Amino acid sequence: MAHIASTASATFLALQRGTRQRSKIFPSFSTCRGIHPFFFTNSPRKRLQVRLSSSGTNRSNGDIVEISKSEKKLSNYAWPDSRKPRVCILGGGFGGLYTALRLESLVWSDDKKPQVLLVDQCERFVFKPMLYELLSGEVDEWEIAPRFSDLLANTSIQFLQDRVKLLHPSDHWGRDGPPASSCGGTVHLESGLSIEYDWLVLALGAEAKLDFVPGATQFALPFTTLEDAIKVNNNIKTLERKYFGKDSQISVAVVGCGYAGVELAATVAERLKDKGVVRAINAENMICPTAPPGNREAALKVLSSRKVELLLGYLVRCIRRESDLESSDTLTGEGEKQGNQAVHDSDKYVLELQPTERGLQRRVLEADLVLWTVGSKSSLTQIEPSDLSLPLPLNGRGQAETDETLRVKGHPRIFALGDSSALRDSHGRILPATAQVAFQQADFAGWNLWAAINGRPLLPFRFQNLGEMMTLGRNDAAISPSFIEGLTLEGEIGHTARKLAYLLRLPTDEHKLKVGISWFFKSAIDSVASLQSTLTKVLSGS
């Protein structure tokens, strides 16, 4: 087991009580394996989560272990077996969870099978490409956001709910660490828990970046997490109640017309129908510039049919609350005025748009809801390595530079994938931060960890683009498979194919079966309802 030596713990606590010049303290360690205080024992078949409690006592509630704030001290995670390799995976998205499941599925000798610990700040895995279906009501939360404890119940993978605070890698001293240690380093969590590892996987994902536009952080809602989707859904419900029975329409502004922006705009416009107007803003003069032409054309047709106003060639300069303005008489722009008087509402927001091309005029928009889909930053920027360690090589986006085997450069015991990795393709371009890339990288990361632990050659990662999919609302989607050039499946066919493809990519066979049954019955109910509606229309017409 990896633990903090008593002298290092004393040093750290002393520094923590003293005056600090930095916002974080980075502990040093004299050894990585040794005698240490027991924190808790993990059963290989038992899921364990850690949460902080404000009370002064520990409480055990099923699989939840709560740690009181008074006991938030340096503790060491107790691995079940000190002789077997220890793999710590940070992040439970497509990259992290699927790497853990891949390790579980491989064939190991008894002494080489690693202990795998998955750490994530949330209690649920989120199948992010289907968050839009929460807004349309096509799926239930449990279907696309199952709990880690449920997914991993029949595996030996351990799960810890906590947030990463800082890293202390030691593999830069050599493949086997410093002379006194054989571990790869230590991870420190916000709860005060430290985890020593032999191998580390960085798959922390990314988070929305709104702070580069004034007012966006305060007034715009991102759409990247389950919490974001729930918040957006609740805001739309509030607006639907507010405008119920009124002549005025709900105004929604979607910033960004990449895949996320287009999917969000199409879904929201379909939900609001005639009760609202959706405006989608994009700096470029086309939507989904990297998408296959078939997907782009299908999206344009759907957006046009739902009367989504596309404002292409505009940047958002700032967002302000209308009630904070001294007067709205000087506002200009189309669709925001009734006669010569601007609409006043303390809950509305004002977006100032700057044209990016000649010939376009400055615009000012009003919106009841602003949805943000542009800009992201790697979550690696939220943690720091120890002062005593070689820093991780990060690029300007906060992603770790990796070699073609997904190992972080200069750190042979650390792998990075998904949004945490800055892996380049054969043309020197960084691979896109998509679920498809992370899904494929997880398979390679799992295999290369097996190879590294067993002393076998590691395989270089090669991304295979299988095509691109996008949802455009209930029973509507577009798919352009890469293996058939020029083919695009649209409408209900595309929608069915997309759901089947995602069903096959759900994490475990048990979850696939449950979700498959649920979707089958929902489809059957919808078909019966549609048939009844059709018969009613026919009979009423006759």
Side-chain angles (χ1 to χ4, degrees), residues 90-396:
L90 304 181
F94 280 101
L97 175 62
Y98 285 66
T99 296
L101 294 173
R102 176 62 169 156
L103 287 171
E104 181 77 8
S105 69
L106 294 171
V107 177
W108 301 86
S109 60
D110 291 339
D111 61 330
K112 291 292 183 68
K113 183 175 182 179
Q115 306 160 91
V116 179
L117 176 64
L118 180 66
V119 181
D120 194 272
Q121 64 183 352
C122 301
E123 67 172 351
R124 295 176 180 270
F125 163 75
V126 181
F127 201 94
K128 291 186 177 182
M130 299 196 74
L131 282 176
Y132 310 96
E133 276 80 348
L134 281 180
L135 297 184
S136 64
E138 289 185 72
V139 302
D140 296 322
E141 184 176 310
W142 70 268
E143 295 171 345
I144 64 166
R147 288 182 172 85
F148 286 109
S149 56
D150 295 332
L151 290 175
L152 304 177
N154 297 318
T155 72
S156 62
I157 302 167
Q158 302 297 299
F159 172 64
L160 198 62
Q161 185 180 347
D162 211 329
R163 187 187 295 268
V164 181
K165 183 177 181 181
L166 57 98
L167 300 179
H168 182 273
S170 57
D171 57 350
H172 54 286
W173 277 297
R175 190 171 184 81
D176 294 324
S181 171
S182 61
C183 81
T186 309
V187 175
H188 303 279
L189 307 178
E190 283 193 351
S191 64
L193 182 65
S194 295
I195 304 169
E196 293 173 3
Y197 63 84
D198 297 312
W199 305 91
L200 181 67
V201 178
L202 301 175
L204 289 167
E207 55 190 51
K209 181 177 175 59
L210 292 80
D211 54 6
F212 60 94
V213 172
T217 302
Q218 298 93 324
F219 306 128
L221 296 180
F223 196 82
T224 58
T225 67
L226 176 63
E227 292 72 20
D228 292 339
I230 293 174
K231 187 178 293 185
V232 170
N233 188 50
N234 290 337
N235 273 264
I236 293 177
K237 286 181 179 179
T238 300
L239 290 171
E240 288 172 333
R241 289 193 295 266
K242 176 182 176 181
Y243 281 84
F244 181 76
K246 297 182 179 180
D247 294 333
S248 54
Q249 291 181 312
I250 300 170
S251 176
V252 178
V254 178
V255 182
C257 288
Y259 266 110
V262 169
E263 290 177 299
L264 192 55
T267 302
V268 173
E270 181 186 48
R271 173 169 170 171
L272 295 179
K273 295 183 172 63
D274 295 334
K275 297 180 295 182
V277 57
V278 177
R279 297 182 177 91
I281 307 161
N282 201 44
E284 300 190 53
N285 59 6
M286 68 168 61
I287 67 169
C288 301
T290 62
N295 277 14
R296 189 183 307 115
E297 292 169 5
L300 284 171
K301 286 191 294 185
V302 169
L303 294 177
S304 176
S305 67
R306 294 176 188 164
K307 297 180 174 57
V308 175
E309 183 180 351
L310 295 177
L311 300 175
L312 305 180
Y314 285 97
L315 285 171
V316 177
R317 290 187 57 190
C318 70
I319 305 174
R320 292 177 289 175
R321 196 195 305 269
E322 188 181 59
S323 59
D324 295 336
L325 300 176
E326 293 183 358
S327 172
S328 60
D329 293 339
T330 58
L331 293 178
T332 60
E334 299 176 4
E336 291 74 50
K337 289 190 176 183
Q338 296 179 348
N340 294 323
Q341 183 66 33
V343 179
H344 294 271
D345 193 320
S346 60
D347 294 327
K348 285 185 178 290
Y349 305 103
V350 176
L351 292 80
E352 294 187 11
L353 307 185
Q354 177 70 39
T356 60
E357 297 182 359
R358 292 182 178 179
L360 297 177
Q361 300 297 319
R362 173 179 169 271
R363 298 283 299 270
V364 177
L365 302 180
E366 280 185 0
D368 298 289
L369 182 63
V370 181
L371 305 179
W372 197 271
T373 68
V374 294
S376 64
K377 55 184 176 181
S378 170
S379 296
L380 282 177
T381 59
Q382 303 300 313
I383 61 176
E384 297 182 25
S386 167
D387 285 342
L388 303 179
S389 302
L390 182 68
L392 298 179
L394 303 182
N395 65 4

Side-chain angles (χ1 to χ4, degrees), residues 511-522:
H511 190 62
K512 291 174 188 176
L513 179 61
K514 291 179 180 178
V515 173
I517 293 173
S518 176
W519 288 357
F520 173 78
F521 281 107
K522 286 179 181 178

